[in-house]
């Protein structure tokens, strides 16, 4: 518990977390990526990449404090969780790994770093989930009405102040697929 008074370590660890998130963001939000987004999973990927950058920074701090052996333990835990845990998405997997790391940090008697990592991850999740990415599939549109339906759905999404990320019109199947980001208040 005396670690809460180790300002030098806390400042250095905080700087490492910030740097990881900033550099992860640079790659996650690469300008060419936005042009190729067609699915909800692809739209969520930048958030996942940033969370994994945070996970990497947390692991790095633990390894610096306790040595390489802990790194192998973490690597083994991560592999076990990834392939043996039924997480619904990569987003959930990144959160699962982060929660496990926070527990490991607390168990390694670094409560100050566990608290910092928890707060940091909480803020990221709050920012990321403030504008959730949604997917809407519209089926069985009456024949010849796909264009009218597309205009109507786009109008409703715009009225709700949703940001349209991707629209896929399949006239032959009378189907529309939308991927959009909702505002925080909706």
């Amino acid at each position: 518990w005396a670690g809460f008074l180790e300002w030098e370590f806390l400042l250095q660890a905080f700087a490492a977390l910030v740097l990881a998130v900033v550099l992860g963001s640079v790659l996650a939000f690469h300008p060419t990526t936005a042009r190729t987004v067609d699915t909800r999973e692809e739209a969520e990927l930048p958030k996942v990449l940033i969370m994994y950058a945070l996970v990497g920074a947390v692991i790095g701090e633990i390894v610096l404090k306790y040595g390489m052996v802990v790194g192998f333990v973490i690597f083994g835990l991560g592999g076990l969780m990834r392939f043996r845990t039924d997480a619904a998405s990569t987003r959930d997997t990144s959160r699962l790994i982060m929660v496990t790391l926070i527990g490991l940090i607390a168990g390694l008697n670094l409560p100050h770093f566990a608290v910092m990592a928890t707060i940091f991850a909480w803020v990221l999740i709050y920012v990321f989930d403030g504008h959730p990415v949604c997917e809407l599939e519209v089926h069985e549109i009456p024949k010849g009405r796909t264009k009218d339906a597309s205009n109507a759905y786009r109008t409703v999404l715009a009225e709700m102040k949703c940001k349209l990320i991707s629209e896929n019109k399949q006239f032959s199947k009378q189907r529309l697929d939308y991927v959009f980001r909702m505002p925080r208040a909706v």
Side-chain angles (χ1 to χ4, degrees), residues 164-181:
L164 190 61
I165 297 171
S166 171
E167 177 181 18
N168 184 9
K169 301 175 198 169
Q170 297 177 7
F171 291 101
S172 62
K173 296 181 181 179
Q174 297 140 347
R175 177 180 164 165
L176 300 168
D177 294 319
Y178 296 95
V179 176
F180 57 95
R181 191 174 311 279

Side-chain angles (χ1 to χ4, degrees), residues 34 132 134 157-158 160-166 179-183:
C134 301
L157 290 172
M160 294 172 57
K161 299 195 180 356
C162 296
K163 181 183 178 206
L164 190 61
I165 297 171
S166 171
V179 176
F180 57 95
R181 191 174 311 279
M182 289 179 34

Side-chain angles (χ1 to χ4, degrees), residues 23-81:
L23 295 177
S25 297
V26 167
L27 296 178
F29 293 108
H30 192 279
T32 60
T33 304
R35 289 185 270 169
T36 62
V37 172
D38 292 327
T39 64
R40 182 174 169 260
E41 291 79 19
E42 290 174 349
E44 292 279 356
L45 187 59
K47 299 173 186 179
V48 173
L49 295 175
I50 294 167
M51 282 297 287
Y52 277 128
L54 177 63
V55 165
V58 169
I59 291 171
E61 288 298 319
I62 296 170
V63 169
L64 277 175
K65 190 77 171 174
Y66 284 98
M68 295 296 278
V69 173
V70 173
F72 288 116
V73 169
I74 294 168
F75 183 74
L77 281 172
L80 185 64
M81 284 186 297

Side-chain angles (χ1 to χ4, degrees), residues 110-186:
L110 292 171
H112 52 295
F113 188 52
V115 169
M116 179 190 297
T118 302
I119 292 169
F120 208 92
W122 189 92
V123 169
L124 273 182
I125 291 168
Y126 179 80
V127 169
F128 289 161
D129 288 352
H131 302 280
V133 175
C134 301
E135 188 170 16
L136 174 64
E137 297 176 0
V138 183
H139 303 272
E140 299 181 24
I141 300 169
K143 195 167 192 145
R145 302 290 313 263
T146 305
K147 186 175 181 180
D148 295 336
S150 171
N151 291 336
Y153 277 97
R154 255 191 276 118
T155 300
V156 170
L157 290 172
E159 287 172 359
M160 294 172 57
K161 299 195 180 356
C162 296
K163 181 183 178 206
L164 190 61
I165 297 171
S166 171
E167 177 181 18
N168 184 9
K169 301 175 198 169
Q170 297 177 7
F171 291 101
S172 62
K173 296 181 181 179
Q174 297 140 347
R175 177 180 164 165
L176 300 168
D177 294 319
Y178 296 95
V179 176
F180 57 95
R181 191 174 311 279
M182 289 179 34
R184 187 178 297 274
V186 175

